[in-house]
């Protein structure tokens, strides 16, 4: 093994999660302690921090304060949704990145994000390889959507899943409290993959929980849905529905688009969804005359650090740590992922490395065998998959009854 | 003191909270252990359970299971929004209640709820007094709205406040993660009193948190609001606003009504509000062109037992316990409330009894001296008031990574 001496830079990109900082902290802490790594930089707002020569010197942070990163939601270094062009079309950004790498003698590049971020990491890695600049590039996954290919699951998913299941349990109690009728529709995130919405099924303890769960993996039929709600409501005077923001009809039209045909798109061309719960609530109210409430979990589900899974936090930290350890050991061009193992029936999570090329821009969906035949619920296979991931309550520190989140100094790095 | 032997009945009414069951459990447990109280009944869905002769026998519950009530959100006995008529106009319901009281030899009546419930309790108490039926009637307060007169604060408020402050802290982190612009508008419950919305100010640690907070105690001016948001957004590229559902203009028109003129009303004549965050988000988007997200905390804020204040849980339990202890000791026609004391600078909560007549149907609002002069933020006085109440994290039991809530058998009582 060749020891590669040089600086490391770490960035966060895409929509944050409640544990993405646990991964970043795992990487930063390990890098700061590494003999091979000479300096540790953080990118201000992901790859934009490199393009704009806006890096922070992580050694200037107080180590005790830095440790609060492990339990702080969202991306403490700042995030971006900047999409690098295809280098065959336009090399400008890559040439700039190489320039900054040389300026700071950056030899380790860690990028912490979802599909698009792995694509960014992959493109930079390949560019550096082609241009003979030795730099070890590692992707550290993050996505509440749990849709990255290869890995058994993604850091961030379990904490959002735990929040959703917990909230559905609580809302179930609240929405069934009167003997008068009530229909509740909860909307979860997930454009194309229904992992988060499926997590609502974890709340179904002794028949209390969601009556109907709709994932984007299956076509949604408004008429069939309405009939089902009416049937359940007639029998129980209650109906609790959980839907993914990305549910669509057989023609591929998002149900949320029924309400609003002119939706904004983000810079990756994704439609900006939202308002589905309100739309369906209003629709079902019209169809049934019942009291209907729509609840959109919105940003809450991806930043609820107070309800994070300690398993997820520890695994997220491990992913960041493993990225640095492997890179220092000579590995490059990989994403850190997970593989599950059962040791005497006990869940165990092992690190496994995946080719960035495979991971980038592929979406892993909920397997159809985990969705019931009516397409309105999930099977035990999903529960067995998901349950080990949500174990353990966060060890978050509280001060004055409220979470103590990290406060970074963000000292600008000098070359 | 005369020892009054007889059965006790306890009911829950109105919108639930995450700790209302702690109060009910405090009353049920104490009643079950009391020598004076011969039997303990729960009303199925509040006063409707009496009118419909639908009581449950609390002695049939497993005591260990019953103990989970302390940490279970919403009203485990079931709730109602049934409004008793004025007895001067129609005595039917009261005569029926007296009949059921006699049938089960009920001599202790405990009613757990908010303003309207205290009104119900008061009316029943006065009717029994007038009719010479000896029955000790005690109100056990509950309201996340914190708007009951007399008492220093209400069971349920602090847990919702803690959830709101925590969520605002988390959403702040999430909504400031990009260097692109973002405006976030969070809507809290509170029709006429802004206590819950004010709690968002607890999140303002080192300048991170809500930029603007609007309570219904002050008239809301859409133009002034827009100007403020634009000013903050221009300076910071971010703006986080927290509004109460009940904000209204100087003519008393709810801002939520701007979006929807034909709102449903509940059986107490309250307008059913909602959709304010979405309305304001859309409005501000049009005014600024910025990315704007509206988040309605909806039911989540009143049932988030996983984020409850242990101080609130313990005080709620104490309120239920005190109601029974006082009633057994000869007190009647009162609501249990709280008085705060500072012992060596340390917050202490004492039980104090209030006349039901005074409490019923009076709303306590946030004092104007705790609202800043621009009407868009709160002063330190409120923080000092609120902070002791949110201390301590819930001791909720978790099974398989999820909250363990109570499962009652609800065995129908026989006379």
């Amino acid at each position: 093994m060749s020891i590669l001496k040089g600086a490391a830079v770490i960035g966060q990109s895409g929509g944050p999660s409640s544990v993405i900082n646990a991964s970043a902290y795992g990487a930063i802490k390990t890098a700061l302690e590494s003999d091979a790594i000479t300096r540790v930089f953080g990118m201000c707002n992901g790859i934009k921090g490199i393009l704009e020569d806006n890096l922070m010197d992580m050694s200037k942070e107080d180590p005790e304060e830095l440790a609060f990163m492990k339990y702080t939601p969202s991306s403490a270094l700042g995030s971006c949704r900047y999409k690098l062009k295809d280098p065959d079309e336009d090399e400008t950004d890559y040439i700039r990145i190489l320039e900054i790498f040389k300026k700071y003698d950056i030899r380790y590049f860690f990028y912490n994000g979802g599909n698009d971020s792995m694509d960014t990491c992959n493109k930079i890695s390949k560019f550096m390889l082609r241009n003979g600049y030795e730099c070890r590039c590692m992707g550290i996954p993050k996505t509440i959507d749990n849709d990255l290919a290869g890995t058994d699951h993604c850091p961030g998913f379990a904490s959002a899943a735990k929040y959703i299941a917990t909230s559905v349990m609580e809302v179930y109690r609240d929405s069934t409290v009167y003997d008068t009728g009530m229909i509740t529709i909860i909307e979860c995130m997930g454009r194309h993959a229904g992992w988060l919405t499926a997590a609502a099924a974890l709340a179904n303890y002794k028949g209390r929980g969601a009556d109907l769960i709709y994932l984007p993996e299956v076509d949604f039929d408004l008429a069939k849905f309405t009939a089902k709600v009416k049937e359940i409501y007639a029998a129980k005077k209650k109906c609790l529905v959980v839907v993914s923001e990305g549910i669509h009809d057989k023609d591929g039209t998002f149900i949320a688009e029924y309400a609003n045909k002119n939706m904004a798109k983000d810079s990756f061309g994704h439609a900006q969804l939202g308002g589905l719960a309100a739309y369906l609530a209003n629709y079902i109210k019209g169809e049934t005359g019942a009291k209907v409430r729509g609840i959109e979990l919105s940003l809450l589900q991806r930043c609820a650090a107070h309800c994070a899974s300690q398993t997820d936090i520890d695994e997220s930290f491990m992913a960041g740590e493993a990225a640095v350890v492997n890179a220092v050991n000579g590995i490059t061009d990989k994403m850190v992922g997970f593989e599950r193992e059962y040791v005497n029936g006990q869940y165990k999570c092992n690190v496994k490395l995946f080719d960035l090329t495979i991971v980038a821009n592929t979406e892993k969906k909920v397997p159809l065998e985990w969705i019931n035949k009516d397409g309105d619920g999930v099977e035990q296979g999903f529960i067995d998959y998901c349950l080990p991931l949500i174990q353990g309550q966060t060890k978050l520190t509280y001060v004055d009854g409220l979470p103590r989140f990290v406060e970074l100094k963000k000292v600008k790095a000098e070359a």
Side-chain angles (χ1 to χ4, degrees), chain A:
Chain A
M1 189 197 82
S2 65
I3 291 175
L4 178 64
K5 284 262 183 185
V9 68
I10 171 161
Q12 299 178 301
S13 176
S17 81
S18 62
V19 300
I20 184 170
N21 286 323
S23 287
Y25 177 63
I28 292 166
K29 182 173 187 286
T30 311
L32 284 168
E33 290 165 0
S34 160
D35 291 333
I37 294 171
T38 50
R39 300 182 70 186
V40 182
F41 303 115
M43 304 174 211
C44 287
N45 298 106
I47 199 66
K48 285 171 87 174
I50 294 190
L51 295 169
E52 294 163 3
D53 195 1
N54 194 8
L55 304 180
M56 51 197 128
D57 188 336
M58 300 313 296
S59 70
K60 297 286 197 283
E61 303 291 341
D62 168 27
E64 281 177 34
E65 184 64 36
L66 204 57
F68 287 113
M69 265 185 87
K70 193 170 174 185
Y71 296 96
T72 300
S74 190
S75 308
L77 307 178
S79 186
C80 69
R81 285 200 181 275
Y82 188 87
K83 193 166 174 71
L84 290 179
K85 292 202 178 68
D86 189 320
D88 292 339
E89 287 168 20
D90 186 348
E91 283 199 330
T92 317
D93 283 348
Y94 301 90
I95 291 163
R96 171 66 173 162
I97 292 167
L98 181 53
E99 181 190 354
I100 297 295
F101 277 18
K102 285 179 177 168
K103 178 177 174 182
Y104 293 93
D105 189 29
I106 289 167
R107 296 291 171 176
Y108 294 92
F109 177 81
F110 302 104
Y111 214 46
N112 187 193
N115 305 75
D116 296 318
S117 309
M118 293 308 120
D119 181 50
T120 298
C121 191
N122 187 36
K123 283 173 175 161
I124 292 171
S125 177
K126 299 302 186 291
F127 182 86
M128 298 301 157
L129 279 171
R130 269 200 311 279
N131 286 269
Y133 180 83
E134 193 174 8
C135 179
R136 295 181 186 156
C137 297
M138 298 287 280
I140 305 168
K142 167 285 329 176
T143 173
I144 61 166
D145 292 329
N146 204 38
D147 60 353
L148 286 172
T151 184
D152 177 78
H153 58 280
C154 303
F157 163 63
S159 292
K162 187 182 179 98
Y163 175 81
I164 288 168
T166 301
S167 296
V168 169
M169 287 177 78
E170 291 169 341
V171 168
Y172 172 87
R173 295 273 168 168
D174 190 295
S175 64
T176 56
V177 80
Y178 299 115
D179 63 352
T180 48
M182 172 93 172
I183 297 170
T184 310
I185 298 170
I186 298 176
E187 174 187 343
C188 299
M189 285 180 169
R191 276 186 186 84
H192 304 297
W195 296 99
L196 283 177
T197 307
L202 298 172
N204 286 31
Y205 178 77
K206 295 194 179 177
R208 297 173 180 267
D211 295 294
L212 299 166
I213 295 174
Y214 293 97
L215 316 185
E217 279 78 359
V218 178
D219 293 340
F220 183 86
D221 184 307
L222 192 58
K224 205 172 133 193
F225 161 71
T226 306
K228 265 287 174 90
V229 170
K230 281 183 177 171
E231 184 189 319
I232 292 166
Y233 184 71
K236 304 202 300 182
K237 287 168 84 176
K238 306 284 173 230
C239 186
L240 177 54
V241 185
V242 184
V243 296
S244 164
E245 63 175 336
I247 53 167
H248 53 79
D249 61 25
K250 64 179 169 43
D251 302 321
T253 305
F254 288 120
I255 307 305
E257 282 186 79
Y258 288 10
N260 178 9
K261 292 282 177 190
N262 301 304
M263 282 190 302
K265 293 198 174 186
D266 70 15
S267 61
F268 293 101
H270 306 143
Q272 295 273 2
L273 301 181
L276 174 65
Y279 168 73
L280 285 179
N282 202 48
Y283 181 83
I284 287 294
K285 193 174 186 169
E287 289 288 316
T288 60
K291 184 174 176 184
V292 190
R293 198 185 273 263
I295 301 174
E296 186 186 345
L297 295 184
S298 191
L299 296 183
L300 301 164
Q301 67 200 291
R302 79 174 188 198
C303 63
H306 75 274
C307 189
S309 150
Q310 188 62 38
T311 298
D312 191 21
I313 294 169
D314 290 338
E315 291 180 356
S316 298
F317 179 90
M318 181 172 79
E321 184 183 45
V324 175
V325 168
N326 278 284
V328 168
N329 285 341
I331 307 286
T332 185
D333 207 35
K334 301 279 182 188
M335 181 191 85
V336 173
F338 299 140
E339 191 176 45
R340 87 169 62 197
E341 188 188 355
Y342 285 93
V343 182
N344 301 325
Q346 199 69 32
Y347 163 86
K348 188 168 172 282
C349 180
N350 301 317
V351 164
K352 189 177 172 184
L353 302 178
F354 296 89
D355 281 351
L356 279 171
T357 311
I358 295 168
V359 174
N361 294 315
T362 319
E363 278 175 328
K364 188 178 73 174
K365 301 193 175 186
V366 177
L368 290 179
E369 63 264 31
W370 287 354
I371 302 173
N372 72 3
K373 69 172 172 36
D374 282 354
D376 56 20
V378 303
E379 301 287 354
Q380 189 61 34
F382 172 79
I383 305 289
D384 296 340
Y385 164 83
C386 200
L387 216 45
L389 312 181
I390 65 158
Q391 299 305 306
Q393 281 60 258
T394 173
K395 293 171 190 156
L396 178 62
T397 300
Y398 280 79
V399 174
D400 263 353
L402 291 170
R404 172 65 166 85
F405 295 145
V406 73
E407 299 288 335
L408 295 179
K409 283 186 268 184
K410 300 200 173 185
V411 178
K412 195 165 159 56
E414 287 176 35

